[in-house]
Amino acid sequence: MILLLTLACTDKDALQDSTLDLDLDLLTSEDRPTKRGEIYGIADEASNTLLVFGGNDGPIVDQTPKATYLDETWVFEPGTGWTELDIEGPSARGRYGQGYDGEKHRAILFGGRWRKDGGSGDYDLYNDLWAFDFGTRTWEELDDGSDGPPPRYYGATFWDAENEAFYLYGGATNADPMAIKVADDFWKWTEDDGWKEFQTSGDAPSQRTFLAETFDTKRRRLVIFGGQVGDYWSNAYNETYVLDLDGREWTELNDGDDAPSTRMHGQLLYDQARDRYILFGGHTDIGDGNDLWELDPESGEWSELRMADEFTGNGLGCGGNPSDVPADYVEQDLTAPERRHRGVFALMHDNLWIYGGMHAECSDHLDDTWRFPLDGAGDWSELIEARTGESCLRQDADCDCLCY
């Protein structure tokens, strides 16, 4: 796809507009990040840059990621590709929260967790706040967390331009991975006043974490979908709730009726141009997904935007192992990305962009890059093929089970 864009120069002394023809499928760089999950992607159209920090690229054993946390900063530029930046920044971590400050063209990163490579026992949890400047391509610590919310991972976070503030809802506060503690507190951070906690009211969601979340900039409200109580084996949710920033009041927007299947770790975006919320993938109660859905913010009605893999209803068991996934567990759509959760899912240049994430059934992380045009003029395009994490059918490999 060739796109005519007006981009801002990233020189820190003077941002000058330049118009150019940008081929969204062109790759001139051969670099790419390793496989990883527990990450976000934060896009800045003015600099034609998608930021990815850290994550976990450790091995997955029995569908449980083993810790190998990273402190790398990567950027993806449509028309160029991936570049690793040799800069200082936050310590190694994954499962952080994020936001985007469009006025100052910076990505905001909060909290997360870390454990030494291959280690066991408690994690180190963080509550520090960092900013990445897309113009200078440098990190700055905004707050060390000493007077902030308790350290946590997978908080629902966002930046509100009107208040020039970063917000945090919930997350998990347990350092011990076997003793889940789910928070439902709500915090606001500003550069002048630091952190302050607020009470919320209304029809609030029940205790849950591993949410899909986004910020509706038009209505100025946090949107959350799905999630799970945090124990990994209970069924997930599929309701949609919104939290109004002005009144700090919760409302249930959709009770799960005609909604995407129950899931945790879904990925949600606000498509401001078409005034809709877009959901991709996540981990359902029977496996990872790669479906695309849209939600009308006014009616609260979900509709499927793009069909993908479909579960057949067949049970587990393959090759003599009752836990292995058989090849006929799903009917696979090879024109769509592999099923996944907790990879990059970002919106830039009227396209959805995905990279990486975990594929639970294949017990591996992914390292591919895809885009999906939102104007309805095309379908998924694979820019960089996965080297790991895909099913045998997607790899064109001869296997007895889904992945081996």
Side-chain angles (χ1 to χ4, degrees), residues 238-289:
N238 67 341
E239 309 104 311
T240 306
Y241 288 87
V242 297
L243 176 64
D244 175 68
L245 274 195
D246 293 327
R248 296 191 291 276
E249 183 176 0
W250 285 101
T251 302
E252 187 180 57
L253 184 61
N254 181 283
D255 64 1
D257 183 44
D258 293 326
S261 60
T262 53
R263 66 190 69 191
M264 54 184 170
H265 299 307
Q267 295 171 279
L268 194 64
L269 288 173
Y270 176 49
D271 178 8
Q272 186 174 13
R274 297 166 186 84
D275 193 27
R276 60 180 177 175
Y277 310 140
I278 301 178
L279 176 76
F280 172 72
H283 189 66
T284 77
D285 292 330
I286 54 175
D288 284 336

Side-chain angles (χ1 to χ4, degrees), residues 73-89:
T73 300
W74 285 84
V75 294
F76 179 80
E77 299 164 280
T80 300
W82 288 101
T83 305
E84 184 179 4
L85 304 182
D86 184 15
I87 57 176
E88 296 294 322

Side-chain angles (χ1 to χ4, degrees), residues 312-353:
T312 62
N314 293 325
L316 297 177
C318 182
N321 186 336
S323 298
D324 267 346
V325 184
D328 60 356
Y329 191 68
V330 292
E331 183 178 336
Q332 299 179 67
D333 178 356
L334 301 185
T335 64
E338 181 61 270
R339 295 172 296 114
R340 69 191 70 201
H341 67 274
R342 289 300 178 186
V344 167
F345 181 58
L347 196 163
M348 182 167 62
H349 305 326
D350 208 30
N351 277 252
L352 301 175
W353 301 83

Side-chain angles (χ1 to χ4, degrees), residues 15-83:
L15 291 177
Q16 298 178 343
D17 290 337
S18 60
T19 302
L20 54 92
D21 291 326
L22 184 64
D23 184 348
L24 297 183
D25 296 321
L26 177 66
L27 297 173
T28 60
S29 170
E30 296 183 358
D31 292 339
R32 62 191 293 187
T34 58
K35 62 180 182 178
R36 65 193 65 187
E38 303 181 26
I39 51 176
Y40 282 94
I42 308 168
D44 177 62
E45 286 200 1
S47 60
N48 186 40
T49 305
L50 175 64
L51 171 75
V52 179
F53 174 78
N56 182 4
D57 74 349
I60 300 174
V61 181
D62 296 329
Q63 299 189 12
T64 301
K66 301 298 182 181
T68 304
Y69 285 105
L70 306 165
D71 63 358
E72 301 169 354
T73 300
W74 285 84
V75 294
F76 179 80
E77 299 164 280
T80 300
W82 288 101
T83 305

Side-chain angles (χ1 to χ4, degrees), residues 89-108:
S91 60
R93 68 189 68 187
R95 304 193 176 196
Y96 46 79
Q98 57 82 35
Y100 172 64
D101 177 1
E103 293 297 319
K104 296 183 178 179
H105 297 283
R106 59 182 185 172
I108 312 296

